[in-house]
């Protein structure tokens, strides 16, 4: 039996993931249950970083198929096939390899995205800090520091979405897209209508 293949435009997966993230954030603003808000905000942070990484994979693959950037095609395609090439290397290397410029990660959207990525990492790869608490002669050992998770709120999710969108605009800017065209590029790749 032959496997059925579905072919789509390259931006489809990025668009769908951003749609899910926006819908998730919209629902979150309507939820009065703070436990659920924290849970959903954590998922929004994970999804926001995933949105950016999927975008990087697809966007750079599309860009290196253009004649002006084809000199970088072998490198980008090889990196895409290598599961050891993670988001950190893509952020650091790909813009320089393809556009001849590094992404600004020390301030603005780049810095905010690195903070978001770190928060995602701390949530996804959570381990117990195995701390000890003593109170009135009772000792409890093996406690986990859940401060990052417990501080999540609706704004954590909506800020994750904005950070992901702003970060994409930084990549578009490096690509040479004019500032006044950034909302249209964001629409093309994520479905966010220009305002």
């Amino acid at each position: 039996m032959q496997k059925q293949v579905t072919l789509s435009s390259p931006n489809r997966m990025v668009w769908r993931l951003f749609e899910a993230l926006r819908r998730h954030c919209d629902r979150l603003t309507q939820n009065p249950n703070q436990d659920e808000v924290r849970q959903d905000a954590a998922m929004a942070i994970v999804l926001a970083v995933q949105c950016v990484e999927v975008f990087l994979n697809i966007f750079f693959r599309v860009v290196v198929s253009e004649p002006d950037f084809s000199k970088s095609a072998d490198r980008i395609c090889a990196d895409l096939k290598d599961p050891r090439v993670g988001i950190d290397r893509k952020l650091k290397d790909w813009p320089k390899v393809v556009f001849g410029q590094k992404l600004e990660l020390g301030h603005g959207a780049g810095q905010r995205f690195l903070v978001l990525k770190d928060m995602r990492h701390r949530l996804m790869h959570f381990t117990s800090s195995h701390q000890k608490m003593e109170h009135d002669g009772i000792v409890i050992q093996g406690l986990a520091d859940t401060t990052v998770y417990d501080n999540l709120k609706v704004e954590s999710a909506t800020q994750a979405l904005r950070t992901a969108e702003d970060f994409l605009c930084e990549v578009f800017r490096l690509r040479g897209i004019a500032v006044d065209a950034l909302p249209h590029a964001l629409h093309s790749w994520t479905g966010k209508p220009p305002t």
Side-chain angles (χ1 to χ4, degrees), residues 60-81:
F60 278 95
R61 178 60 187 94
V62 168
V63 168
V64 298
S65 68
E66 299 173 20
D68 289 347
F69 303 106
S70 63
K71 68 185 181 328
S72 307
D74 290 343
R75 163 70 187 277
I76 299 303
C77 291
D79 282 357
L80 285 167
K81 289 177 185 171

Side-chain angles (χ1 to χ4, degrees), residues 23 25 30 85 97 127 130 162 169 175 194:
R23 189 173 53 253
C25 288
Q30 308 302 318
V85 176
V97 166
T127 59
H130 243 61
R162 279 193 301 276
C169 288
R175 164 66 178 84

Side-chain angles (χ1 to χ4, degrees), residues 72-119:
S72 307
D74 290 343
R75 163 70 187 277
I76 299 303
C77 291
D79 282 357
L80 285 167
K81 289 177 185 171
D82 186 347
R84 295 170 298 176
V85 176
I87 191 169
D88 291 324
R89 189 154 137 201
K90 294 169 188 177
L91 294 170
K92 182 179 171 251
D93 294 351
W94 287 6
K96 179 72 174 158
V97 166
V98 177
F99 303 132
Q101 302 176 65
K102 289 186 174 188
L103 272 170
E104 179 52 62
L105 302 173
H107 68 276
Q111 183 180 41
R112 289 193 323 273
F113 181 72
L114 291 183
V115 168
L116 179 68
K117 186 178 67 66
D118 179 61
M119 185 179 292

Side-chain angles (χ1 to χ4, degrees), residues 116-133:
L116 179 68
K117 186 178 67 66
D118 179 61
M119 185 179 292
R120 187 271 325 234
H121 183 77
R122 291 172 27 189
L123 291 167
M124 279 186 62
H125 303 288
F126 181 83
T127 59
S128 175
S129 53
H130 243 61
Q131 296 182 31
K132 176 172 74 171
M133 181 181 85

Side-chain angles (χ1 to χ4, degrees), residues 8 54-55 99 105 129-130 141 150 155 158 162 172 180:
S8 301
V54 170
F55 165 78
F99 303 132
L105 302 173
S129 53
H130 243 61
Q141 294 189 40
D150 289 318
E155 293 78 21
T158 55
R162 279 193 301 276
F172 296 144
D180 62 336

